[in-house]
Amino acid sequence: KKTKRKQMGKQVIKAAQREERVERLAEVSLGRYIVERESEALDALLSDLAKVSNSRVRASKLFQWLIHPIPSKSFFRDAWEKKPVLIKRQNPDYYTGLFSTAEFDRILRQDDVQYGVNLDVTRRALPFTVWDFYESGCSLRMLNPQAFSSTVWNVLKKLFCVPRYLTPPGTQGFAPHYDDIEAFVVQLEGKKHWRVYNPRSENEVLPVVSSPNFSHSEIGKPILEVVLEAGDLLYFPRGFIHQGDCRNSWGNLLAKVVPAALEMAMEEDVDFRRGLPVNYLTYMGVQNSDKEDPRRAQFLSRIEGLMKKLSTFAPVDAAVDQKARDYLHDCLPPMLTAEERASSVQGAPSRWENGEAVDMGVAIRGQIRVRLVRSGIARLCSDGEAVWLYYTADNSRVYHKEEPKSVEIKAEHTDAMEFLIHAYPKFVTVGSVPCKLTEDKVSLAVLLFKRGLIHTAEPLQRS
């Protein structure tokens, strides 16, 4: 088992190195592509990306388009979580096709937009009422435009979730504040004046919660003041105050690790179950913090020793899996290309009941080649004795409208599932999946196919 995992680890490392080379080439080729065809960048890029079978390369190319002309590696090395970035393009058509006020109005008129669910405040958002708010100086925030716009869904699925703001001319959208997220402001139409300020103190660098609104006397002078025009982009890290969920820090991970580690330590190590010293309240606590008492030093030394020992109980992988489950719950469902749809359950001759395919008119056999629909679409997570596969294929386009999607994986299928996850973007035959029994290989493939998690190299024919 260990030898096999070591070999698999080497294969994964080599695959990652190949992926890195591919992404570097993709970054260079995309830069040339954008320079040559800037006026139709998004429309042409999305069309070309539909022909790329590797979802990681698609994401890399799309992010590079978003922040062009800054190379993505330079951005993550020099700016991410460190400083604001302003990209002035002098090209108002750069983001054309992503979203627009006309699209916003069409959604209001044709779709069931609800205040509080899609648009902020508890009734149907009617166009007349919404635009009346806008004309009165209210900023409009569409919380999940991806629920209504296929283009936004297509782009955000590859990148991240952002709301769509409309701010009337001559008004300020929100009072100065900082957020608990990394922010990419994409100016699609018109102009907007932005001010960005440094964090007020070290305690507000990379915060884990958003701030209340600040007055101007509390925030000092801006480090960046700019008018964004159509085609421009502004990035600022969390903690940078600005005018105009998805936290991913070490602290957030430890918030999951430490309680679980303490629970395990209490169960397995008697030192964590021993009683506190008699009369410790007489020499510990704020009121006793200035006392010269040797018992204080002993008490603090004991705490330090227990904290060091606590790390040995830390279930880091389990905590990372918790973060992964949260992340998968946040994700949009994959938007399939025509080829992917034809070779997936979406294109199979079957009958649908309760959101699942039944009575499929095709047979999956050992020689059929399959792969995951997307990199990162599914993840194995343990829950005690059980192993669950969490996935995004059935997620709603409305943020957290439904519960996280998962299915329990049989013990005899776990190695096979790992194999399929690490094999991406290669297609592998069902027969090569590491299960002892042929029927296990096929039953796992059928399960994943029905859930929309894998597709075949060629469309399946009716059996």
Side-chain angles (χ1 to χ4, degrees), residues 105-136:
D105 184 68
R106 182 198 65 75
I107 289 170
L108 290 174
R109 296 178 188 281
Q110 297 181 8
D111 294 301
D112 187 17
V113 179
Q114 300 284 336
Y115 283 119
V117 175
N118 311 115
L119 193 72
D120 263 356
V121 222
T122 52
R123 61 183 187 275
R124 171 77 184 272
L126 300 174
F128 177 85
T129 309
V130 170
W131 290 122
D132 189 48
F133 281 132
Y134 180 82
E135 292 294 335
S136 300

Side-chain angles (χ1 to χ4, degrees), residues 46 112 137 140 143 163 169 184 259 301 318 335 346 360 395 409 419 430:
L46 290 177
D112 187 17
L140 306 178
L143 301 175
F184 291 83
S301 177
M335 186 176 190
Q346 301 290 341
M360 288 194 302
N395 280 7
I409 296 295
F419 174 79
V430 172

Side-chain angles (χ1 to χ4, degrees), residues 311-335:
S311 65
T312 65
F313 296 94
V316 177
D317 285 327
V320 169
D321 282 344
Q322 285 188 38
K323 293 285 289 181
R325 289 197 292 269
D326 292 343
Y327 169 74
L328 291 175
H329 192 201
D330 290 343
C331 285
L332 289 166
M335 186 176 190

